[in-house]
Amino acid sequence: MPLEPQHARPTIAPNAHLAYNLAQNHYSKRSVLVIVGVSKSEIKVHRKKIKITGRVQGVGFRPAVYRLAVQLQLTGLVYNDTRGVTIELQGEESKITEFVKRLNGTDAPPLAQIESFVTFDLPTVAEEQEFTISPSDTGGTPASRVTADIATCADCLRELFDEKDFRYRYPFINCTNCGPRYSIIKTIPYDRPNTTMSVFKMCEQCGSQYKDVADRRFHAQPVACPKCGPKVWLTDNKGRTIATGTDNVIAETARLLREGKIAAIKGVGGFHLAVDAFNNTAVSRLRERKLREHKPFAMMADSIETIKQHAAVSEQAEKLLKSPEAPILLLPKKADSTTLGTGDSAIAASVAEGVNTFGFMLCYTPLHHLLFAEGIEVLVMTSGNISDEPLIRENDKAIERLGGVADVFLMHDREIHRQVDDSIVHLINDKAVLLRRSRGYIPTPVLMRQTSPQEIFAAGADLKNTFCFVKENQLICSEHIGDLEDTEVYHHYINSIEHLRGLFETRPKVVACDLHPSYLSSQYARSMADVELVEIQHHWAHIASVIAEYGVDGPVIGLACDGTGYGTDGAIWGCECLIATLDDFERFGHLDYYPLAGADAATKEPIRPLLSLLMQAYDKQFDLGKLGRLLERIEPDHTKQNIICEQIRKGINTMQTSSLGRVFDAVAAMVGLGNYNHFEAQLPMALESVADPNCDQQYDFEISERTILDLRPMIKQVVADVSKDKDKTVISAKFHNTLAAGLLEMAKSARQAKGLDTVALSGGVFCNRYLTNRLIRLLKEDGFSVLFNCDFPANDGGISIGQAAIAARRILKRG
Ligand SMILES: [Zn+2]
Ligand SMILES: [Zn+2]
C-alpha cells in the first residue's frame, strides 16, 4: 500500500504558535508536496527514502528523527543535505507509516517548519543493524545553516525555577529548542568554536548532554551551566562593579528599577534601556537622556495577564506574544490605561503618547525571567542606543555611549557578535504582519518556487533599511539595519553585508538597487565592481515584495502608498496604482501631483505640503489671509508662510509629488495634532489614533479618466470642517474613509481596463491599521482578492525583498 500523502504540518509546542502560523502561510502560498511512493513488494521489510525541506537544520531535527526511529525499531540513517534533511528508513511497513505520521505530528521538533516531504521506495539493505546520524552531505550549500535567536522554551523555564536542577536560576539556560543563535555566530559552520561561546569550556555534565543524542541539549551549541558558562554582574555608570553573583545582581537590579533608576540590560541582540513603566518621572528622565522625546517606547511584561490589564489582547495576539519569536506586538490601549502619576499600576503617559497602541513583549531570556520574578510587572525596554544609532552590543561601548543615560549596567560575558533589534508585529485583518523583521525571524530564508541561476544582492532602501541575498532558491533577508543617513548606521550596513555574505558564502554578480539617484544604498550598489546593476523603481519593488511573498505570477493591481519614492519621470511618487508582475510594471494611475517645497524639510514640516495642497485646491481663490487662523497654529511666522508660497509658485527647490504620506501630515496638522514630525510618520500615526471607528462618512474626491485621483474637494471640505470646529475624531475618520474609497475606485478602474481582480497593497501608508483594514474590507466586498505584506514589512523594510525578486526573475527569464 502506498503511503498516504502527508500534509506537512509540524505539531508545535504550546509556545510556538507563530512558527505554526507562519508555516501555515507558507503552505497556502507555496505548498510543494510530491509523493512518489510506489510499493509493490511482498516482503515484510521495506526501505524508504524521505527527503524533507524547510526549516529542518539547526533545530534538532536529526536527533528527533533518530529518537523516533530507535523507538520504532527502524534501522537506517539521517543526514543534512543541501536542501534540508534526508532519511533512509528500513523496517516493517506499519512502523514506517507510523514514523512518517509522528514526524509530521507530535514528534516534530518545536522549531521545525516542514515545507515539503517526499518519499521514495528503495531496495532493502541486508544486515543493517542500527539507525545512525551520518555526517552532513558535504556537496553544495546547506539550506539553512544558521537559525534565529529563540525565546526560552517551556522546558528550560521549568528547569530555571527547579531547585533540583543543576541550572537552577542560571541566567543563560538554553537547549536545542531555544536560546541565542544568529547573534552569537561568527562564521560557519554553526559549531561552538565558531560562536562567541568558544571561550567557555563545557564542563563534564554539560558535555555529556551535548554528546547524548537522546538529550534535549544534543549539539545545542550555546549549552552552559553555572559551573562552566557565562556570568552576570552589575556595574555603575563608570563600569565599576557593584554586585556579583546571580542572586545579588538580580535582586539589586530589581530594587534599583523599583526606585526609578535606569538600567542598561545586556540581552540577546544588544543592550536594552530599562525603566519602571509605571513611573512617569523615570520614563521622562529616560527620554531626556536618550534624546528620544516623542517616539513611543516598547515594554516588556511578566505575563499575558499583566498585558491584558493595559491593552486589548485577542486570542491571535496572545499566540504571537507567546511565540518562540517573542516579538513586540502593537496592541490597542485600554481606556484609562495611562497615568501621569508615580508608583501607580497604570502605564506612565509618557511611554506612548500620540498613539492608540502599546508595544508589548513577554520575557524572552532566562535573565528577563529571573528579573521579573522579583515582583516586577512591566518595564520600558527600549533599544540601548542614542537616538537612531545602531544598537550597542559591547560592554565597553555600552559604558562609553550609555554612561550618561543609564544609572547601572547589568552586564554579562557572553559576547554578542551581531546586534539584532526586537522585531515588531501588528495585526492587520487579524493576521500577524511584521513591521520590523529582526530577532526571532532572521536569518531564516524564505524559499522561492524557482532556483536562481545566479546569486543576487539587493541593497534595499535608505529608510528602515534591510538588504537581501538570493542564493539558489533562498531569499536571505538581513535584520533591520535602520536609517542609513546616520553615519554609524551606514557603517553598520556595510559590515552587515560582509557578515551575511560570509555566513551564506555568497559572492553575487548581480546587484539590485533603488532607482533613486542619491540613496546611499544605491550609491553603494553602484560603486561595486564587476557586477551587473539592476535599478528598480521604488513602488514597483514594494508591490514585488507582495508578489514574492505570495508566490503569485500576476499581473496584479498594485496599490503602493507611502511618503516618497523616486519615480521614472523624476517626480516623487507616493500614491500609485501599478499593473505589475516581477517582469515589468505599468503606472496605471496615481494621486494628482502637487508641488512640494523644501526637500527634506517637507517631510518634517507639515506646513509645506499643507500650503501646496491648499494652493492647489483653491487655485486663484487661494488667500493666505483668509486661512490665517488655520495656518497660524501650524506656522506662526507669516514671513516663512510667504516664502514657502513663493517657492511653490516659482518652483524653487520644489518637486512634483504624488506622496500620500505628506497628505496625512497636512491633514493631521490642520486638525491640531502637531506641527512637526519628530520621527517618521509621527503625524500620520497621531491622525490614525484619533479616528472614530464608528464614523462612516467621507469627503468628496474625483477620479479622472486616466485614473488620476484628485483630492482637492476633500482638502476644501477639511478646511470647512476645521473652521467649524468639528471634532478631530470625525475629521480623521472621514479623511481615512475618503482615501479608502479613492483607492477602491482606482482598483475598480484598473479592473475594468485590464480584467484583473487581484490587488496587492504595499508601502508605509499600509502600516496604518484603520485605513488598511477598511480598504481590505471594501475591496473584498467588491469581489477583489487582496494580498498584503505579512512576512515582510509593508514599509521600506520590505523593499530589498522586492528588488531581489525582480532581479531573480530577470535572470531566470534569460536563462
Ligand atoms: Zn530550551
Ligand atoms: Zn556546564
Side-chain angles (χ1 to χ4, degrees), residues 166-167 201-207 223-229:
F166 77 101
R167 293 191 186 85
K201 192 179 173 321
M202 252 184 246
C203 71
E204 216 172 294
Q205 216 168 353
C206 287
V223 70
C225 76
K227 234 188 294 169
C228 67

Side-chain angles (χ1 to χ4, degrees), residues 19 56 72 140 174 188 206 235 290 317 361 412 435 558 659 698 782 796 812:
V56 290
L72 293 170
N174 68 80
I188 51 163
C206 287
T235 81
K290 191 177 147 67
M361 60 186 152
H412 62 70
L435 289 166
S659 166
Q698 68 184 60
D782 217 297
D796 283 4
L812 265 171

Side-chain angles (χ1 to χ4, degrees), residues 28-47:
S28 55
K29 289 176 197 167
R30 289 182 283 273
S31 178
V32 188
L33 188 68
V34 192
I35 299 292
V36 201
V38 184
S39 172
K40 44 188 184 290
S41 176
E42 304 290 323
I43 56 164
K44 280 183 184 162
V45 174
H46 294 250
R47 190 175 183 88

Side-chain angles (χ1 to χ4, degrees), residues 709-723:
L709 178 62
D710 181 356
L711 296 175
R712 286 178 182 87
M714 178 194 80
I715 293 292
K716 288 187 200 168
Q717 289 167 340
V718 173
V719 172
D721 274 358
V722 172
S723 50

Side-chain angles (χ1 to χ4, degrees), residues 577-789:
C577 177
L578 310 179
I579 307 298
T581 63
L582 294 180
D583 294 310
D584 209 353
F585 79 98
E586 170 197 342
R587 192 188 196 197
F588 182 78
H590 59 90
L591 175 64
D592 199 7
Y593 281 151
Y594 56 94
L596 191 57
D600 277 354
T603 66
K604 301 269 176 20
E605 302 171 4
I607 187 71
R608 293 170 181 275
L610 177 57
L611 284 171
S612 297
L613 292 164
L614 292 171
M615 286 169 77
Q616 191 191 47
Y618 290 98
D619 196 20
K620 294 200 172 63
Q621 275 82 52
F622 177 76
D623 181 348
L624 263 184
K626 273 193 194 157
L627 295 162
R629 203 168 64 92
L630 176 91
L631 294 172
E632 256 164 22
R633 271 199 319 204
I634 305 162
E635 179 51 73
D637 182 350
H638 286 260
T639 319
K640 186 167 174 182
Q641 288 182 20
N642 275 309
I643 291 173
I644 295 170
C645 291
E646 270 309 289
Q647 267 188 305
I648 295 167
R649 277 194 204 98
K650 295 184 177 158
I652 302 163
N653 192 18
T654 292
M655 298 288 285
Q656 289 296 319
T657 187
S658 52
S659 166
L660 193 55
R662 298 294 82 78
V663 181
F664 274 85
D665 289 349
V667 173
M670 275 200 275
V671 299
L673 289 167
N675 55 10
Y676 199 82
N677 272 316
H678 295 90
F679 58 91
E680 200 204 352
Q682 180 184 2
L683 291 172
M685 280 159 69
L687 190 59
E688 178 194 353
S689 294
V690 300
D692 176 1
N694 300 314
C695 168
D696 214 32
Q697 304 160 51
Q698 68 184 60
Y699 296 115
D700 297 330
F701 62 90
E702 280 166 21
I703 277 206
S704 77
E705 255 177 58
R706 287 170 42 246
T707 318
I708 307 296
L709 178 62
D710 181 356
L711 296 175
R712 286 178 182 87
M714 178 194 80
I715 293 292
K716 288 187 200 168
Q717 289 167 340
V718 173
V719 172
D721 274 358
V722 172
S723 50
K724 277 183 252 162
D725 287 327
K726 275 255 177 76
D727 204 296
K728 58 176 177 270
T729 61
V730 174
I731 300 176
S732 170
K734 284 166 78 177
F735 167 72
H736 281 87
N737 298 348
T738 311
L739 295 185
L743 292 166
L744 172 68
E745 284 308 312
M746 287 171 109
K748 280 162 78 172
S749 141
R751 175 169 63 189
Q752 202 177 15
K754 306 285 178 181
L756 303 171
D757 57 8
T758 300
V759 175
L761 308 179
S762 193
V765 164
F766 294 115
C767 297
N768 180 313
R769 283 169 296 280
Y770 183 103
L771 176 68
T772 311
N773 282 324
R774 186 176 178 96
L775 180 57
I776 291 171
R777 179 170 61 76
L778 294 180
L779 285 164
K780 285 186 170 169
E781 283 170 6
D782 217 297
F784 288 100
S785 67
V786 188
L787 313 177
F788 55 98
N789 294 110

